[in-house]
Structure formats: C-alpha cells, structure tokens
C-alpha cells in the first residue's frame, strides 16, 4: 500500500475476495469453521495479505466487549521453567490474535495485588499455576474463564485443568533407583502446600512401599539451593543407616543435595545417588550431570492456552496429561557398600 493511501478496510477485503463483510469477519476472527468453506477462507486470507489489511482490534474489542488479553499467573520467576510456559502460551495466543500478560505472584508476601484497576474488565481469561493460586482471589481472576495448570482435576476452581504426568515421572524415578538396587531413600520434598508436590510425595511412597525392605525418610525444604543444602545435610547426617538415594522434587533441590553431600564427604554417585525433576539448564551444569525428569514447559504453556481458547469458544478442552520422561545421566548408580 502506497504512503498516504487510505487504510484498507474489511469492505475492501470482502470486495477483493468476492465475499460478504460477515465472511471476512468470521475468517479473520478464526470463527469460520463450519460456516465458511476452506477455499473461501483461504481466499479471504490471501486478499487480506495482498491489501495489507489489519483488523482494528480496539474498535472490535469495544464492540464485542473483549480485550483479547489473557493473564498468566505463575509463582515468582525463580527458574526458566515458567519462562518456557509463557513462551508456549504466547505462541498459541498470537496465532489466535490474543496477547498474554505474565504476572508472577510475589513470593513470601501473601496474595498478589490486582495488576489492573479491575482484572475482570481488562482480561478475557486467566491461566494460573496451582502454586500461584493464592493470587487469583486478589485479582478476581477466579471470576473469569480460568484454566489451572498443575492442579487437581477433581477439586480445581478452574473451568479446565492442564497437567503434566508428574505421577508417571515419579514412577520412572522410583523404578530406575529400585532397579539399581537402592532400598534406603531420602525424599527432599518442596515445602509448598500444592497438589503437584502432594502427588509426588504420595506416588513415591506408594511405589517404594510396594517393594519389601525399602525405607523412606522425608525432609521438607524451600525451593532454594541454600534451603535444600540445610535440609539435606541434616537428614543425611541423622542417626541410623544413611540413605543411598535422594529423590528431589526439583532440580534446584538436587543442587542443594549435591552441596550437602560434598560437605559430608560423600561422592555422587558412588556413595549417594541423586535425582531431580524439571530438567532445567542447571541439570547439565552440575557435576556429575543430574538424572532428572524432563518436563516440556513450552508444550505445557501451549496446552494451557489451547484449553483456555476452548473454554472461551464453549468447546471441551483436551483432558490428557502431557507425557514426561526420565533422562538418565551420571548422578545415579548402584549403591556402594554399606
């Protein structure tokens, strides 16, 4: 389009494609399926591209009462995992003309404050991690279309839940360590009262209890390297036979366990096997590299946004959990001599 030319309108697109303005609106609003044929939809998209047409989102939002903006509420951004969740969610959102605002719920200072004068007026929906659920009431996000990540499907306040198959991840860890011959375990458990961490603790306890002769200690720890160091050092130095394997709820906890082992003169994996969960960049920075469960953060965010779009369009979201898999590295080996 030449400089100074009038901005193309939906009427121009309709005329170029030989369709009605209503058809243009349906196609460019991604609501054409079942109402406009695929060849017609492609003709409209091609006309819009050739004319350089861009919808007037502000006018459409006023008309429809929609901002096409979604809030992603996560715990404080202490790892790259939630950055990956945001990346995946934003990618799918952009494909459908939505924007995503990332809002970390402040850590350790209670419920988050409303980032808007009124979240209900400024947003079309919310995607929230269960670990940041306390923020929802404060921002009135629980009164908007809501998708919960890492949340109990049976007790969620959301219209839909999207989960990684954490239970299977813990099963893979337990089977790997049991297969190596470990029978004395320490669970370095995140001290956050969240469904995802409750699932990890329950699954680990059940898997180990099914094998005769196993012992399991639990040491709660904040998700920080220093907090994990203190908790792991105290647990490993406690009276009685020392655990030969430490199962950590998070890779940062595993890093703390590494430091505790070195303070106590224990070698990994000769004296102590350690596993994590997340497969952060940290996992390969540790020496030896960490055996951990890989979680696809980008896909998690994509599925969360797809679920919210389904809810907004009165469709049933996909209910299947996202698969995870164990990445075996050098931090696990058969237990040494007692």
């Amino acid at each position: 389009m030449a400089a100074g030319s009038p901005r193309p309108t939906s009427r121009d697109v309709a005329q170029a494609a030989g369709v009605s303005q209503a058809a243009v609106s349906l196609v460019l609003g991604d609501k054409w399926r079942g109402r406009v044929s695929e060849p017609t939809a492609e003709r409209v998209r091609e006309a819009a591209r050739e004319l350089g047409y861009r919808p007037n989102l502000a006018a459409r939002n006023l008309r429809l009462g929609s901002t096409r903006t979604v809030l992603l509420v996560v715990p404080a951004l202490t790892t790259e995992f939630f950055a990956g969740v945001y990346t995946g969610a934003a990618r799918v959102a952009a494909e459908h003309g939505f924007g995503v605002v990332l809002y970390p719920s402040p850590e350790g200072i209670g419920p988050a404050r409303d980032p808007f004068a009124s979240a209900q007026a400024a947003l079309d929906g919310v995607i929230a991690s269960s670990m940041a659920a306390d923020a929802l009431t404060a921002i009135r996000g629980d009164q908007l279309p809501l998708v919960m990540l890492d949340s109990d499907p049976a007790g969620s306040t959301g219209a839909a839940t999207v989960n990684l198959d954490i239970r299977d991840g813990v099963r893979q860890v337990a089977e790997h360590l049991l297969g190596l011959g470990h029978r004395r375990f320490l669970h370095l458990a995140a001290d956050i009262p969240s469904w995802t961490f409750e699932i990890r603790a329950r699954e680990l306890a059940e898997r180990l209890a099914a094998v005769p002769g196993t012992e399991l200690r639990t040491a709660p720890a904040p998700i920080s390297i220093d907090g994990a160091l203190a908790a792991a050092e105290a647990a490993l130095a406690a009276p009685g036979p020392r655990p030969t394997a430490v199962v950590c709820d998070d890779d940062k906890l595993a890093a703390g366990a590494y430091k505790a082992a070195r303070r106590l003169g224990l070698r990994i994996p000769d004296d102590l096997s350690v596993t994590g969960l997340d497969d952060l960049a940290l996992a390969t920075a540790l020496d030896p590299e960490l055996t951990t469960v890989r979680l696809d953060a980008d896909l998690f965010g994509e599925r969360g946004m797809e679920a919210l779009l389904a809810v907004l369009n009165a469709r049933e979201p996909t209910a299947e959990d996202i698969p995870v898999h164990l990445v075996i590295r050098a931090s696990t080996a058969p237990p040494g001599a007692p």
Side-chain angles (χ1 to χ4, degrees):
M1 187 172 64
S5 300
R7 177 174 173 156
T9 66
S10 61
R11 182 178 299 170
D12 297 326
V13 176
Q15 188 172 8
V19 299
S20 67
Q21 279 184 265
V24 171
S25 179
L26 287 170
V27 172
L28 299 184
D30 200 31
K31 296 182 178 178
W32 59 273
R33 292 170 182 79
R35 301 158 86 174
V36 175
S37 71
E38 174 70 53
T40 299
E42 182 52 39
R43 200 162 69 245
V44 169
R45 288 190 289 262
E46 181 62 28
R49 282 193 294 270
E50 288 181 357
L51 291 171
Y53 173 73
R54 295 290 182 272
N56 185 337
L57 291 178
R60 183 173 67 180
N61 291 343
L62 287 172
R63 191 167 62 250
L64 299 180
S66 166
T67 63
R68 300 187 80 77
T69 302
V70 170
L71 190 69
L72 174 61
V73 185
V74 300
L77 295 174
T78 52
T79 72
E80 73 264 26
F81 178 79
F82 287 104
V85 173
Y86 171 79
T87 300
R91 182 186 305 119
V92 171
E95 291 170 358
H96 293 82
F98 279 77
V100 177
V101 176
L102 179 64
Y103 189 59
S105 173
E107 192 172 32
I109 59 173
R113 296 192 310 179
D114 191 340
F116 306 99
S118 172
Q120 286 175 272
L123 300 168
D124 286 340
V126 175
I127 304 170
S129 162
S130 64
M131 285 185 280
D134 286 347
L136 295 177
T137 302
I139 66 172
R140 295 188 291 285
D142 53 352
Q143 298 173 37
L144 285 161
L146 171 66
V147 168
M148 292 295 296
L149 307 178
D150 248 0
S151 185
D152 183 357
S156 173
T157 57
T161 57
V162 176
N163 286 317
L164 296 152
D165 198 348
I166 293 295
R167 183 179 281 106
D168 186 59
V170 174
R171 177 195 63 78
Q172 292 178 52
V173 168
E175 290 187 354
H176 171 62
L177 292 171
L178 289 167
L180 289 172
H182 291 278
R183 294 297 182 267
R184 297 195 304 274
F185 295 83
L186 171 64
H187 180 202
L188 199 56
D191 65 354
I192 297 173
S194 171
W195 176 81
T196 186
F197 293 124
E198 292 168 4
I199 284 293
R200 297 170 205 210
R202 188 182 314 142
E203 184 68 15
L204 181 62
E206 290 177 0
R207 290 287 168 181
L208 299 186
V211 177
T214 57
E215 299 174 13
L216 174 63
R217 300 182 196 173
T218 299
I223 300 184
S224 71
I225 294 175
D226 287 345
L229 163 61
E233 186 175 12
L236 291 170
R242 191 183 65 241
T244 62
V246 183
V247 178
C248 303
D249 275 351
D250 177 274
D251 290 354
K252 288 178 73 174
L253 296 180
Y258 271 52
K259 294 185 75 171
R262 289 197 172 96
R263 280 195 182 183
L264 295 169
L266 302 174
R267 297 166 301 164
I268 298 172
D270 306 72
D271 305 310
L272 191 69
S273 286
V274 179
T275 65
L277 202 151
D278 273 346
D279 199 25
L280 305 176
L282 174 64
T284 52
L286 292 171
D287 183 22
E289 294 189 356
L290 180 66
T291 294
T292 186
V293 176
R294 179 170 294 162
L295 311 180
D296 192 332
D298 276 34
L299 181 58
F300 199 23
E302 288 179 9
R303 291 279 181 86
M305 190 66 215
E306 287 168 357
L308 183 58
L309 289 170
V311 170
L312 292 173
N313 287 285
R315 291 185 283 106
E316 190 70 26
T318 302
E320 293 179 0
D321 288 350
I322 298 169
V324 304
H325 70 276
L326 180 67
V327 181
I328 298 173
R329 299 194 179 100
S331 68
T332 51

